Amino acid sequence: MEKLKMLMPDLFTNDGKLNLSELKKVVDPESVNEIERYEFRWFGKSNAKREAFTPTDATLVFDENLSLNPDKSENLIIEGENLAVLKLLSQSYREQIKCIYIDPPYNTGKDFVYSDNFNQDKKEYWEDAEMIENGVMIDTNAESDGRYHSNWLNMMYSRLLMARQLLQEDGVIFISIDDNEVHNLRKLCDEVFGEENFIANIIWQKKYSPQNDAKYFSEMHDHIICYVKNIKSNDQLGWEIASLARSEEQNQRYSNPDSDYRGDWKSGDFLVKTYSEAYVYPITTPSGRVVNPPTGRCWRTSKDKFEEMVKDNRIWFGANGDNVPSIKRFLTEVKQGITPSTLWLRTDVGDNQEATKEIKDLFNFIPFDTPKPTRLINRISKLALGEDDIILDFFSGSGSTGHAVSALNSEDGGNRKYILVQLPESIDKSSEAYKAGYKKISDITIERNKRVIEKIIEEKKNKQPNLFDKKEDDVDPLTGLGFKVFKLKKSNFPRVEYAPDPEKSDEENVEALKKYIRDKEAQLLTAFNRDELITEILIKNGFKLNNTVIKQEQFKKNEIFLATDGDKKTLICLDGTLADETVEYFKTNIDQKLIVLERALDTTKKWNLKHSMGDKFKAF
């Protein structure tokens, strides 16, 4: 097999297995009859797609203790397996995200890769100190595994399919990757987003010094793959990339030696290489010297146009009037922004060393090995986000994306929001982070962004000591400086896992099933947490996580709350019984939406509410 692989590597799959169909084509070509087409295939692709669109049986639960200024900001940090979280977000944040940035596992043979056997019955995920063991298997994807590339592709495929649903029509995604999987990632994104929606493969210089112990080449860069959701939307350009701001260094190249009323300028070449005989003519300088273009070249414009430019003081002959003519290019007339290139140097966007220093300055040690520099994400944010847009990072690691967004908002007064998702992956017990009290990577994600916001608040106080003094009608200086933390939990709604007993009669099994259902319903009413159940019901009804829930005092017979997220609103009741008085109220006040528990209704009440309110009434 090894000899065959050396002689004919094309007979083997990317995972190193002998492809018998390809072998048959060599041994007996007539025996093979297949339709050939250009496509990207790997083991487990169909199942990964099914997994993406299989509903999750989980929910999200607000953790007030880990949150920071939760009523001041719409930022979210979610601890949980990211595919399940994406499925939940797809109900309330579908087409709401302007930009996604992710830094997924690079599949170097040492990275973790998720296998999606996640469900609420896995005790290790849900109950064992909220850490991952076997509930969502994560293990190093060893190169010796026959499905090495397939494992990684399956993980990425299902998540990218869900991510696309969250993007706005003019949304954009940036994905960091290295040479191990960049070729597969390009083909995968071509399939998910469409080949026509590819924008760029950006090269990021991640290191300053080359490694002299490298076997062949010292790797100095990573890739950042960029795709848009739709290159065109309604015959209009989809995503419109912003320009980069001009630097002081670039502006300093302009001056005004002749005190031109139009301001600073710099000279540009009046010669061009594209030859035109009509543009070859002698020019007499103010000093009297006659100059001609060199052989094979010509002036930039015709003689008539040149004379117009001289009259308009747009030609510069040097301080002594004796130089070859050049064009004056005024700073006020050049493009005020710079079109970004596909080469991002460390001097402009930072490198690995800078990223490590940033996190070390916050923690006084290095709690996370592979953070990204905030200047890198700052560049992405400036290119992709408006001042009120949302950026999503569902492989958030140490939380660099949140750090970058908070710093950028503080710098320019923007109100950008972030959603970070991080698996509660356990930390090596021998690490400094673990010894410092951080048991999961998500702990570091939360703590980093907490320290960033506290630092920004402290800096604001130092600059303006009276800024935080409460005054009526003032804009709250804490606006945007906080986040809500949610954790992935098993659903509050009991799952039906009843199996009939083959030794019992049909009648006995039916009675046993009815009892099982009664017990589960009773469990829902007696054991549930009200706030958690409200959150789950609102998520399932497409409400954003930044919602408010206020008790409505006008209802005397039932406890009813008004829930709103700014776009949607509904009344919700979790009582075990809906009073007749409450039913009569909603039979006549049909302009409001109402959600109740199925358990709270008998057939008559349910019919009356449904008949009166129509789709504005829902029972769970």
Side-chain angles (χ1 to χ4, degrees):
M1 292 289 283
E2 288 300 319
K3 187 68 174 177
L4 184 59
K5 190 172 184 180
M6 288 176 63
L7 292 170
M8 306 181 76
D10 57 298
L11 300 185
F12 290 77
T13 68
N14 289 336
D15 295 324
K17 299 294 185 182
L18 178 63
N19 188 327
L20 293 179
S21 295
E22 294 300 315
L23 181 60
K24 286 178 182 178
K25 293 175 187 176
V26 176
V27 177
D28 185 9
E30 299 300 323
S31 68
V32 179
N33 183 17
E34 67 176 14
I35 299 173
E36 293 183 335
R37 61 184 181 274
Y38 179 78
E39 61 180 326
F40 185 37
R41 299 173 65 185
W42 67 89
F43 182 86
K45 179 179 180 180
S46 297
N47 189 60
K49 190 168 189 175
R50 283 193 294 271
E51 179 62 33
F53 298 104
T54 301
T56 178
D57 50 19
T59 187
L60 296 173
V61 173
F62 175 56
D63 191 321
E64 186 173 8
N65 294 328
L66 292 177
S67 301
L68 178 66
N69 302 329
D71 59 332
K72 306 294 184 183
S73 170
E74 295 180 40
N75 297 323
L76 303 173
I77 301 179
I78 303 173
E79 179 188 273
E81 195 280 325
N82 56 9
L83 180 57
V85 173
L86 290 172
K87 291 177 182 181
L88 290 168
L89 293 179
S90 70
Q91 300 185 62
S92 48
Y93 290 86
R94 184 181 294 265
E95 299 185 352
Q96 298 290 312
I97 306 298
K98 184 60 179 288
C99 175
I100 295 174
Y101 169 70
I102 54 173
D103 182 21
Y106 283 6
N107 206 21
T108 62
K110 300 175 183 177
D111 294 312
F112 285 121
V113 170
Y114 306 52
S115 86
D116 299 315
N117 60 341
F118 167 86
N119 63 66
Q120 71 172 23
D121 302 319
K122 295 291 184 180
K123 181 177 184 291
E124 293 83 354
Y125 183 87
W126 297 115
E127 298 173 13
D128 287 356
E130 299 178 328
M131 294 192 187
I132 301 301
E133 296 281 337
N134 297 313
V136 179
M137 289 296 294
I138 56 171
D139 204 350
T140 50
N141 191 30
E143 292 184 47
S144 57
D145 189 334
R147 295 174 183 169
Y148 174 66
H149 290 288
S150 294
N151 291 340
W152 187 86
L153 285 165
N154 287 329
M155 178 197 72
M156 292 297 296
Y157 189 38
S158 53
R159 286 157 180 79
L160 290 177
L161 285 168
M162 294 307 300
R164 187 183 183 279
Q165 294 189 358
L166 295 170
L167 281 176
Q168 296 176 190
E169 285 301 302
D170 60 349
V172 59
I173 183 169
F174 294 83
I175 308 173
S176 286
I177 199 69
D178 71 0
D179 286 329
N180 286 285
E181 294 289 356
V182 65
H183 53 299
N184 283 329
L185 181 61
R186 278 290 306 273
K187 288 185 281 188
L188 184 63
C189 287
D190 283 346
E191 179 150 330
V192 174
F193 297 100
E195 189 174 351
E196 69 280 6
N197 291 314
F198 170 71
I199 297 296
N201 178 4
I202 300 160
I203 301 300
W204 167 51
Q205 183 191 6
K206 66 178 179 180
K207 291 181 182 177
Y208 172 62
S209 301
Q211 294 175 268
N212 289 327
D213 59 349
K215 187 175 181 181
Y216 297 113
F217 292 91
S218 177
E219 295 179 359
M220 302 293 289
H221 74 277
D222 274 353
H223 305 264
I224 302 176
I225 303 299
C226 177
Y227 281 77
V228 293
K229 185 173 183 180
N230 279 314
I231 198 74
K232 284 189 176 180
S233 179
N234 297 324
D235 295 326
Q236 301 294 318
L237 187 66
W239 176 55
E240 294 188 21
I241 190 169
S243 298
L244 298 174
R246 297 180 61 85
S247 67
E248 282 298 315
E249 181 184 354
Q250 289 167 322
N251 289 340
Q252 285 172 2
R253 297 170 189 165
Y254 292 76
S255 61
N256 194 0
D258 62 346
S259 301
D260 195 305
Y261 73 93
R262 288 163 291 201
D264 291 350
W265 55 271
K266 72 173 183 177
S267 61
D269 200 345
F270 193 60
L271 289 165
V272 291
K273 293 179 180 178
T274 307
Y275 185 79
S276 172
E277 191 173 348
Y279 287 5
V280 177
Y281 48 88
I283 291 177
T284 303
T285 70
S287 67
R289 186 164 75 98
V290 177
V291 293
N292 286 283
T295 303
R297 300 186 69 182
C298 63
W299 302 122
R300 184 176 294 272
T301 65
S302 66
K303 185 173 177 60
D304 291 343
K305 178 66 176 176
F306 166 74
E307 290 174 352
E308 288 178 16
M309 295 176 72
V310 170
K311 290 178 182 178
D312 196 28
N313 192 21
R314 288 183 177 270
I315 299 295
W316 176 245
F317 291 96
N320 298 322
D322 194 45
N323 291 358
V324 174
S326 59
I327 296 177
K328 292 167 67 173
R329 302 188 186 280
F330 292 92
L331 180 59
T332 54
E333 295 175 355
V334 300
K335 182 179 178 181
Q336 292 306 297
I338 301 169
T339 301
S341 75
T342 55
L343 177 61
W344 291 6
L345 300 176
R346 55 176 294 278
T347 51
D348 297 321
V349 297
D351 56 14
N352 286 343
Q353 187 176 357
E354 180 178 307
T356 300
K357 184 180 183 303
E358 284 179 330
I359 199 168
K360 185 178 181 180
D361 288 346
L362 286 172
F363 287 85
N364 297 318
F365 67 95
I366 303 172
F368 189 82
D369 292 333
T370 56
K372 287 291 183 287
T374 56
R375 283 202 293 155
L376 177 71
I377 303 168
N378 184 301
R379 164 71 63 90
I380 290 170
S381 299
K382 286 182 175 179
L383 293 177
L385 294 174
E387 291 191 350
D388 292 297
D389 287 328
I390 304 173
I391 186 170
L392 166 66
D393 181 351
F394 53 89
F395 286 99
S396 64
S398 69
S400 298
T401 297
H403 184 165
V405 170
S406 294
L408 183 57
N409 283 341
S410 178
E411 174 189 317
D412 66 8
N415 187 36
R416 305 167 189 87
K417 278 80 70 175
Y418 60 76
I419 301 176
L420 310 181
V421 184
Q422 177 55 41
L423 185 77
E425 180 185 323
S426 56
I427 292 174
D428 187 342
K429 293 183 179 181
S430 64
S431 67
E432 280 191 84
Y434 191 90
K435 292 172 184 175
Y438 303 104
K439 303 298 188 290
K440 302 163 289 182
I441 290 178
S442 50
D443 294 341
I444 297 171
T445 313
I446 295 166
E447 182 62 22
R448 176 178 186 171
N449 283 279
K450 179 181 179 182
R451 294 187 181 206
V452 167
I453 290 171
E454 289 174 343
K455 182 180 177 182
I456 291 172
I457 293 172
E458 189 62 31
E459 289 171 351
K460 286 179 178 285
K461 286 180 178 178
N462 291 337
K463 286 181 180 178
Q464 297 176 265
N466 300 322
L467 179 64
F468 291 85
D469 293 347
K470 185 67 178 174
K471 294 177 184 176
E472 239 179 87
D473 300 328
D474 278 0
V475 175
D476 192 334
L478 287 175
T479 299
L481 293 172
F483 52 80
K484 284 184 176 181
V485 173
F486 286 82
K487 291 186 175 183
L488 195 69
K489 297 284 186 181
K490 63 170 104 172
S491 173
N492 290 281
F493 289 94
R495 293 177 65 207
V496 177
E497 293 151 352
Y498 173 81
D501 186 341
E503 296 184 1
K504 292 182 178 179
S505 66
D506 289 347
E507 291 77 10
E508 290 173 325
N509 276 316
V510 168
E511 286 304 314
L513 175 59
K514 288 180 178 178
K515 181 181 183 303
Y516 177 89
I517 292 172
R518 286 195 299 271
D519 292 343
K520 286 290 185 179
E521 287 178 337
Q523 174 188 331
L524 177 62
L525 290 174
T526 58
F528 75 86
N529 177 297
R530 187 197 69 190
D531 293 338
E532 290 183 8
L533 187 56
I534 287 178
T535 298
E536 179 170 0
I537 290 173
L538 292 177
I539 289 172
K540 291 180 185 297
N541 280 274
F543 280 71
K544 295 185 180 69
L545 294 172
N546 290 296
N547 55 67
T548 57
V549 179
I550 303 171
K551 185 176 179 180
Q552 303 300 288
E553 300 295 342
Q554 68 268 30
F555 296 99
K556 306 302 181 185
K557 299 295 184 179
N558 287 107
E559 190 175 44
I560 296 180
F561 301 88
L562 173 65
T564 179
D565 66 356
D567 295 323
K568 299 183 180 71
K569 64 179 180 180
T570 187
L571 293 168
I572 186 167
C573 179
L574 301 183
D575 292 348
T577 303
L578 206 63
D580 291 337
E581 180 182 315
T582 305
V583 174
E584 290 302 316
Y585 172 86
F586 285 104
K587 282 172 63 179
T588 54
N589 293 271
I590 59 173
D591 56 331
Q592 302 176 81
K593 292 184 178 181
L594 175 66
I595 298 174
V596 302
L597 294 177
E598 184 94 30
R599 171 78 170 167
L601 305 168
D602 58 27
T603 304
T604 302
K605 291 177 180 177
K606 186 174 182 178
W607 188 91
N608 283 334
L609 290 171
K610 190 68 179 174
H611 179 73
S612 302
M613 302 181 71
D615 292 338
K616 292 183 178 179
F617 166 72
K618 286 187 179 180
F620 270 78

